[in-house]
Amino acid sequence: MMRASAPGVGNPGAGGRRRLLSRQPAVLGLVPVLAAATLLLGALPATAQGGPAPSEQQVYEVASELRCVVCQNLSVADSPSEMAGQMRAIVRERLASGQTPAQVRQYFVGRYGDWILLAPPRRGFTLLVWLAPLVAVLVGLVVVALLVRRWTRRRPKARPAIDAVMSERIRQELEREP
Amino acid sequence: MTRSWRYLLPLTAVPVLALLAYGFRVNPRDIPSPLLGRPAAAFVLTAYDGTSMDLAALRGKVVVLNFWASWCYPACYEEAPVLERGWRAYRDRGVVVLGVDIQDKDEAGRKFIGDFGLTFANGPDPAGKVSVDYGVYGVPETFFIDRGGSIRVKHVSAVTDQVFRETVERLLAEPVPAR
Amino acid sequence: MIPEVGTGALLVALILAVYGAAAAAVGGRRGRPALVESAQHAALGVFALLTAAVLLLVYAFLRFDFSVRYVATNTNLGTPFYYRITALWGALEGSIVLWAWMLSIYTLLVIVRHRTSARQLYPWVLTVMLSVVAFFLVVMTVPAPVFARLTPVPADGRGLNPLLEDSGMITHPVALYLGFTGFTVPFAFAVAALVTGRVGDFWITTTRRWTIVAWYFLSLGLLIGGWWSYHVLGWGGYWAWDPVENAAFMPWLTGTALLHSVMIQERRRMLRLWNIALVMLTFSLTLFGTFLTRSGVIASVHAFTQGSIGVFFLTFLSLVVLVALALIAWRWDALGAQGELDSVVSRESAFLLNNVLLVAATFTVFFGTVFPLLSEAVRGVKVSVGAPFFNQVNVPLFLSLIFLMGVGPLIAWRRASLENLRRNFLGPVVIGVAAAALFRLLGVGSILAVTTLALTVFVVATIGVDLVRATRARRRLGERALPALGHLLLRHNRRYGGFVIHLAILVVAVGVTGSQAWSVHTETTLKRGEATELAGYRIRFDGLRESQESNHGKVTGTFTVVGGHGAGAVLEPAKKFYPQEQSPIAYVDYRLGLVDDLYLVLGDFASDGSHATVKFQVNRMVSWIWIGGLVLTLGTVLAVLPERRKAA
């Protein structure tokens, strides 16, 4: 690993810490300002991205939640097959006649079963699959937390006493490492 | 982990492996229909010969509704003669056979009908609305509708003489519903 | 004649592989180097015979030998020359041959490289590798015989699946399989370590490069698969969370976790049990992948076929998993952690978190993939788990991982003081937040896109901070900036190779984000001479023409870009009619760009060419995904360079 050649060559030494401290307030102050700016800007309407007419976008959104029955694992929105085109037309017609996306989805579920939905419903048994990632992360974090606790407790208590100035220099050099 | 407990470690994999083994018993392409026992959706189609196919008008009869396509080989080719035989045998006993040609071209459909000499009503489903209304996801699929207008049996893949006969006889034996 | 010779060669290879595995095991157990050497020769023989089998198959393809059933099913007289060669891995039987052949090559390389440098582990490594080869040889001779004879010999073959007649076919399976089979090597070493009880760091430091190379090829295979899906399948997408795609993605996730946790074991001698488990898991997932593809257990667009072959794979997978777990249980005590952790805020923690997130993502993908099976087993109800689910649940995990990419390399080992955190991260955090504000200002509507891009900027800033500081340190020694940078990259090639790989992932992430957020599309029917517009591009339908290719008929539509950007370009999407396929195959035409891809798919058309339906997409930032692949290659090359021992 890279090391500075010798303490004191071309580095600010102990004075550097003070310099950083004096810069701090300004730099630290910038963060909340920028954060606030981001939030405020979030209130501005984003410029339109262009694309299909709103109702086409709605058709696309509903269709992308339905499974194409002939091509396996593609959505009705994406599938190039004829049946998918026909299903898209049905979605378009039903949305145009005033049905809500939920009603259109329900129409298909009534004929094909829950299988036609590309994302399983968030209730009942299928709620399990939605919870899986949360459970996995939580279990992982708990295990890691327990391990970390066990490992940090194992630290040997006795440490040779080091001169304060030497300790400071060592710390600075270690931190200058890439 | 104490000495004996850790040898149970391999057992943790067993449920997953068992689940995968279970996968051999199921056919992922076999989707159960939620329409069984429910009223069959009404439709009106124009047959290839110009006549009208109106399901609602057939209330009181047993209806065999078959979805097919000329490119569906070999299953539709196997069941076409079966359906024709069934139609001829039962047409005088209050059974109607209807064929719906989906995602097909008219010329190919007509050729199919001509090749097999089909005499029951056959028409195209141009926008696929009827096939979606019946939850059709492949061909061939056949729906057996009782006199009361409810879907009783959904048969996926080619219909055989035995299936046709047994199902139709069972539905014919049921009493005619009061109007 | 070819079927018989080929089958014979495979049978002999099987016998040799079984013998070699047994000989190596016995030789290792009893300390008999002569047996181990004999096993080596057997491995050489297996390689030679498999190579001969491959060459025989290629020869049969090139000579249209339809007496071999595999040749007849996958080519016909019209199949172009190069696809006759790549048809070797075009279907189930041949893909097994390719897999086994690659395994035998890897075995050979392991022999050459580790015969003397890993004396204790070596016999067991050989045993494992030859056992795996033996399994695939069994599959090649029993349930999926590649040299099965076809009688009577047909006049013409059936032909290759038209979707496979593409450049992706030439590269995707090769890269993917090099990745899959590559993970057998670390697995073999892990088993050897457990069996011999030498569970220290040697086995993992020895296999580090193998792991990176396998990981790289797997990454490449996934990216090429995405490219293939994008330009062939006609839906304008590159990843559908199809079960088989997931099955290839999962070992990639655990492989990535492994690449990181290895560093903890190397520096701090911790996580030995975890790393062994991770290697075993990665290898098991590669087997799971082949099982899924070939068993038909879960419906997929990729699935080759069913039959008894699934049973073979599940049996082998079960054997591997159970033996691996049993070995771990046996050596549990020896695998305890040696080192300690000083603080929660440290690089060790960042790596641990990285592993948690990656394994959680793997679990999510796995659970989602098998959930339809579970639902049916428990409730008898079929459900689907598709792209909307995977996209939603994985996004937070991946965003967190991107954040960690910035934190990990810079945060201190053991304990990061507040000073260390401030020095390394204040600047990049500020820059990241500023970037988020800037993107919002520029009109980026999607919160997800803003977050991803801001995180990317944050990570790039951390890399910048590191590079600047390290270059400046070298410059104090009198070196000029650019040579300093060069020396830095080469002297610490592992670290900076890793940085470049991180950058590559970021480039891919930016591409994915951009394409999801900003791509637009439309579907419309045009009369001849009529034009349509999308996102500033105007295309005009100019007509259709029919043609006959060597093994299919083709109807091509001509579309010209008129006015606006890219004016004058002509795109020709087509529909290809193969006699052996029931429905026509769409041939997509596209113009790639750094930001905009034009993408056209021909739909229905009138036979007189008077009008045609066309699906028109302007896909944004997709090229960044492929560029990310190139950067990944550079980073991997840098990372695997041999360590420089000279002083700076």
Side-chain angles (χ1 to χ4, degrees):
Chain A
M1 276 296 197
M2 271 301 297
R3 287 190 168 281
S5 57
V9 171
N11 64 55
R17 190 159 181 227
R18 254 178 258 128
R19 281 226 301 274
L20 208 62
L21 268 174
S22 67
R23 270 211 302 264
Q24 254 174 355
V27 175
L28 272 182
L30 211 48
V31 175
V33 169
L34 280 172
T38 317
L39 287 171
L40 279 173
L41 286 167
L44 292 173
T47 57
Q49 292 302 307
S55 65
E56 273 305 307
Q57 182 62 25
Q58 246 200 332
V59 171
Y60 185 80
E61 276 171 17
V62 176
S64 62
E65 296 178 43
L66 298 171
R67 180 175 187 160
C68 166
V69 297
V70 293
C71 33
Q72 300 303 341
N73 269 288
L74 277 184
S75 70
V76 166
D78 290 327
S79 166
S81 72
E82 188 175 345
M83 177 125 204
Q86 290 176 339
M87 287 170 81
R88 279 196 296 273
I90 295 175
V91 170
R92 194 174 292 124
E93 204 180 293
R94 287 184 167 257
L95 285 175
S97 76
Q99 288 198 339
T100 64
Q103 285 172 319
V104 176
R105 274 196 301 271
Q106 194 48 43
Y107 167 74
F108 284 98
V109 170
R111 272 134 196 86
Y112 288 93
D114 275 340
W115 173 87
I116 192 96
L117 295 175
L118 268 177
R122 278 182 224 234
R123 46 175 167 69
F125 184 76
T126 52
L127 187 59
L128 266 180
V129 75
W130 289 99
L131 292 178
L134 267 130
V135 166
V137 173
L138 282 175
V139 166
L141 288 176
V142 162
V143 168
V144 165
L146 289 174
L147 285 174
V148 165
R149 185 154 356 127
R150 200 204 305 174
W151 288 336
T152 50
R153 259 195 253 122
R154 231 190 257 158
R155 231 176 345 117
K157 301 297 175 198
R159 279 252 157 93
I162 304 179
D163 176 61
V165 173
M166 175 66 88
S167 170
E168 174 63 26
R169 257 168 60 179
I170 292 174
R171 194 191 52 77
Q172 276 180 11
E173 276 198 45
L174 280 175
E175 279 169 356
R176 224 168 275 124
E177 303 263 316
Chain B
M1 229 192 222
T2 57
R3 283 202 74 82
S4 41
W5 276 97
R6 47 194 172 125
Y7 287 101
L8 293 177
L9 192 58
L11 289 181
T12 57
V14 171
V16 176
L17 297 170
L19 181 65
L20 296 177
Y22 171 79
F24 290 126
R25 302 183 53 200
V26 299
N27 179 358
R29 312 211 57 146
D30 192 13
I31 321 292
S33 172
L35 294 172
L36 294 179
R38 303 251 285 278
F43 61 85
V44 180
L45 289 176
T46 311
Y48 278 118
D49 58 12
T51 57
S52 164
M53 296 161 61
D54 182 353
L55 185 67
L58 297 172
R59 178 68 69 91
K61 302 202 184 200
V62 170
V63 179
V64 179
L65 181 59
N66 171 254
F67 290 88
W68 60 277
S70 68
W71 43 262
C72 143
Y73 178 84
C76 297
Y77 286 65
E78 284 167 14
E79 72 172 4
V82 170
L83 291 167
E84 178 63 18
R85 280 196 292 274
W87 164 239
R88 294 193 192 175
Y90 285 92
R91 62 190 299 178
D92 300 324
R93 295 180 54 185
V95 174
V96 177
V97 178
L98 297 178
V100 179
D101 181 16
I102 67 170
Q103 294 161 41
D104 211 348
K105 299 209 179 332
D106 279 7
E107 318 91 67
R110 286 175 201 274
K111 182 175 183 301
F112 185 92
I113 295 168
D115 286 347
F116 286 97
L118 303 178
T119 55
F120 55 87
N122 259 299
D125 181 16
K129 291 223 196 107
V130 179
S131 61
V132 170
D133 233 358
Y134 279 79
V136 171
Y137 59 89
V139 278
E141 288 184 17
T142 310
F143 295 83
F144 291 83
I145 303 170
D146 67 14
R147 298 190 207 262
S150 300
I151 300 175
R152 301 292 293 280
V153 173
K154 175 178 174 181
H155 186 92
V156 175
S157 79
V159 175
T160 61
D161 289 300
Q162 183 179 9
V163 166
F164 190 101
R165 188 180 55 243
E166 284 175 2
T167 320
V168 166
E169 290 285 356
R170 182 157 53 94
L171 294 179
L172 279 176
E174 288 173 2
V176 181
R179 286 236 160 220
Chain C
M1 210 237 342
I2 286 185
E4 285 72 31
V5 173
T7 314
L10 292 179
L11 273 171
V12 175
L14 173 58
I15 296 172
L16 281 178
V18 171
Y19 165 73
V26 172
R29 184 108 170 80
R30 300 188 191 227
R32 308 251 298 266
L35 271 179
V36 177
E37 245 195 78
S38 173
Q40 249 171 236
H41 296 149
L44 233 92
V46 169
F47 166 71
L49 286 166
L50 273 170
T51 311
V54 167
L55 290 174
L56 208 57
L57 261 180
V58 173
Y59 178 73
F61 272 114
L62 289 176
R63 301 278 278 155
F64 296 113
D65 186 347
F66 294 133
S67 72
V68 180
R69 188 174 65 197
Y70 188 66
V71 175
T73 333
N74 289 295
T75 50
N76 55 32
L77 292 167
T79 309
F81 164 72
Y82 33 88
Y83 291 129
R84 297 213 298 276
I85 300 180
T86 64
L88 172 67
W89 51 79
L92 174 69
E93 294 89 341
S95 70
I96 306 282
V97 176
L98 186 69
W99 192 294
W101 186 49
M102 285 179 174
L103 267 177
S104 71
I105 296 177
Y106 272 114
T107 311
L108 210 62
L109 290 172
V110 165
I111 290 176
V112 166
R113 183 95 179 70
H114 294 292
R115 184 173 42 183
T116 45
S117 71
R119 278 239 158 76
Q120 267 80 28
L121 298 177
Y122 176 67
W124 298 101
V125 173
L126 211 50
T127 305
V128 172
M129 304 237 19
L130 284 173
S131 304
V132 179
V133 175
F135 165 71
F136 280 94
L137 280 166
V138 167
V139 171
M140 254 190 275
T141 41
V142 180
V146 66
F147 283 109
R149 177 175 270 283
L150 187 61
T151 46
V153 179
D156 195 2
R158 190 179 168 275
L160 192 62
N161 182 339
L163 290 174
L164 301 179
E165 285 196 2
D166 176 80
S167 56
M169 172 58 178
I170 301 174
T171 44
H172 166 69
V174 174
L176 206 62
Y177 283 17
L178 279 174
F180 282 148
T181 53
F183 280 114
T184 315
V185 178
F187 172 73
F189 271 89
V191 171
L194 286 173
V195 168
T196 57
R198 292 168 191 278
V199 295
D201 303 330
F202 178 71
W203 75 269
I204 211 169
T205 47
T206 313
T207 55
R208 193 187 59 87
R209 266 207 195 81
W210 291 102
T211 310
I212 298 188
V213 168
W215 178 89
Y216 167 71
F217 279 118
L218 189 54
S219 315
L220 199 65
L222 289 169
L223 286 173
I224 299 178
W227 160 245
W228 190 2
S229 166
Y230 181 64
H231 81 273
V232 168
L233 292 186
W235 60 290
Y238 40 81
W239 187 264
W241 296 104
D242 181 84
V244 168
E245 291 174 353
N246 296 349
F249 191 48
M250 287 189 282
W252 185 88
L253 288 169
T254 56
T256 309
L258 183 63
L259 287 178
H260 290 90
S261 62
V262 164
M263 288 189 244
I264 299 193
Q265 183 166 343
E266 278 180 319
R267 304 288 164 89
R268 305 299 317 284
R269 303 217 310 259
M270 295 155 57
L271 298 185
R272 290 195 289 186
L273 170 61
W274 174 247
N275 284 329
I276 288 213
L278 212 48
V279 167
M280 306 270 190
L281 182 62
T282 308
F283 178 68
S284 307
L285 285 171
T286 64
L287 288 181
F288 178 67
T290 67
F291 163 72
L292 261 193
T293 328
R294 289 161 181 77
S295 65
V297 157
I298 299 180
S300 158
V301 72
H302 286 79
F304 287 62
T305 185
Q306 316 69 308
S308 61
I309 194 172
V311 177
F312 276 80
F313 272 101
L314 186 58
T315 311
F316 187 61
L317 175 63
S318 309
L319 203 65
V320 165
V321 170
L322 293 172
V323 166
L325 288 172
L327 284 172
I328 291 178
W330 178 33
R331 296 291 191 195
W332 187 273
D333 293 328
L335 289 166
Q338 300 251 306
E340 336 87 26
L341 202 61
D342 286 23
S343 161
V344 170
V345 185
S346 62
R347 195 175 300 185
E348 291 89 330
S349 294
F351 276 25
L352 283 173
L353 201 55
N354 156 297
N355 267 231
V356 166
L357 289 170
L358 283 167
V359 173
T362 310
F363 176 73
T364 307
V365 172
F366 181 79
F367 199 61
T369 306
V370 299
F371 192 73
L373 210 50
L374 185 67
S375 167
E376 188 160 358
V378 169
R379 293 191 305 162
V381 174
K382 279 204 159 70
V383 294
S384 300
V385 181
F389 167 77
F390 289 110
N391 284 331
Q392 277 184 55
V393 302
N394 278 320
V395 160
L397 295 173
F398 292 153
L399 286 180
S400 312
L401 281 166
I402 293 182
F403 176 69
L404 278 179
M405 243 194 248
V407 170
L410 256 55
I411 199 170
W413 286 102
R414 292 183 172 269
R415 170 184 302 175
S417 65
L418 217 51
E419 174 75 26
N420 168 263
L421 290 176
R422 215 179 286 137
R423 253 188 65 160
N424 287 316
F425 297 113
L426 188 58
V429 166
V430 165
I431 294 175
V433 173
L438 184 65
F439 291 130
R440 228 33 188 128
L441 203 58
L442 291 175
V444 177
S446 150
I447 295 285
L448 197 57
V450 171
T451 315
T452 315
L453 293 174
L455 281 173
T456 305
V457 170
F458 163 71
V459 177
V460 172
T462 60
I463 295 179
V465 161
D466 181 280
L467 276 176
V468 163
R469 200 177 295 149
T471 313
R472 203 186 292 163
R474 289 193 76 96
R475 285 191 63 198
R476 284 201 207 104
L477 305 178
E479 237 184 329
R480 295 161 62 93
L482 226 47
L485 190 62
H487 282 138
L488 191 68
L489 293 183
L490 288 177
R491 178 124 158 78
H492 302 281
N493 62 306
R494 269 184 69 181
R495 178 182 176 82
Y496 292 102
F499 276 17
V500 176
I501 293 180
H502 280 182
L503 279 175
I505 303 291
L506 288 175
V507 171
V508 171
V510 167
V512 169
T513 309
S515 71
Q516 298 295 327
W518 303 321
S519 297
V520 290
H521 54 85
T522 182
E523 191 168 9
T524 177
T525 308
L526 295 173
K527 295 202 277 288
R528 201 202 319 254
E530 204 185 334
T532 183
E533 173 155 1
L534 185 63
Y537 294 92
R538 207 173 157 71
I539 56 160
R540 184 187 67 212
F541 172 48
D542 284 335
L544 297 171
R545 68 169 194 282
E546 239 184 281
S547 60
Q548 187 66 33
E549 313 292 320
S550 65
N551 56 350
H552 60 272
K554 193 165 158 183
V555 172
T556 314
T558 312
F559 294 83
T560 315
V561 181
V562 294
H565 330 271
V570 176
L571 289 106
E572 300 189 307
K575 268 199 150 134
K576 302 206 275 194
F577 299 86
Y578 287 82
Q580 74 267 31
E581 299 293 324
Q582 283 163 356
S583 40
I585 309 283
Y587 175 82
V588 179
D589 203 6
Y590 48 87
R591 281 285 169 286
L592 298 180
L594 193 58
V595 177
D596 287 347
D597 287 356
L598 296 184
Y599 192 91
L600 288 180
V601 182
L602 186 64
D604 287 329
F605 49 84
S607 12
D608 59 357
S610 59
H611 61 264
T613 310
V614 66
K615 204 163 150 188
F616 179 25
Q617 297 179 357
V618 177
N619 295 320
R620 299 233 155 87
M621 307 292 286
V622 178
S623 295
W624 286 57
I625 300 177
W626 325 128
I627 294 174
L630 289 170
V631 180
L632 189 71
T633 310
L634 293 173
T636 310
V637 167
L638 187 59
V640 296
L641 287 177
E643 312 274 300
R644 298 283 194 91
R645 295 276 168 230
K646 307 194 288 278

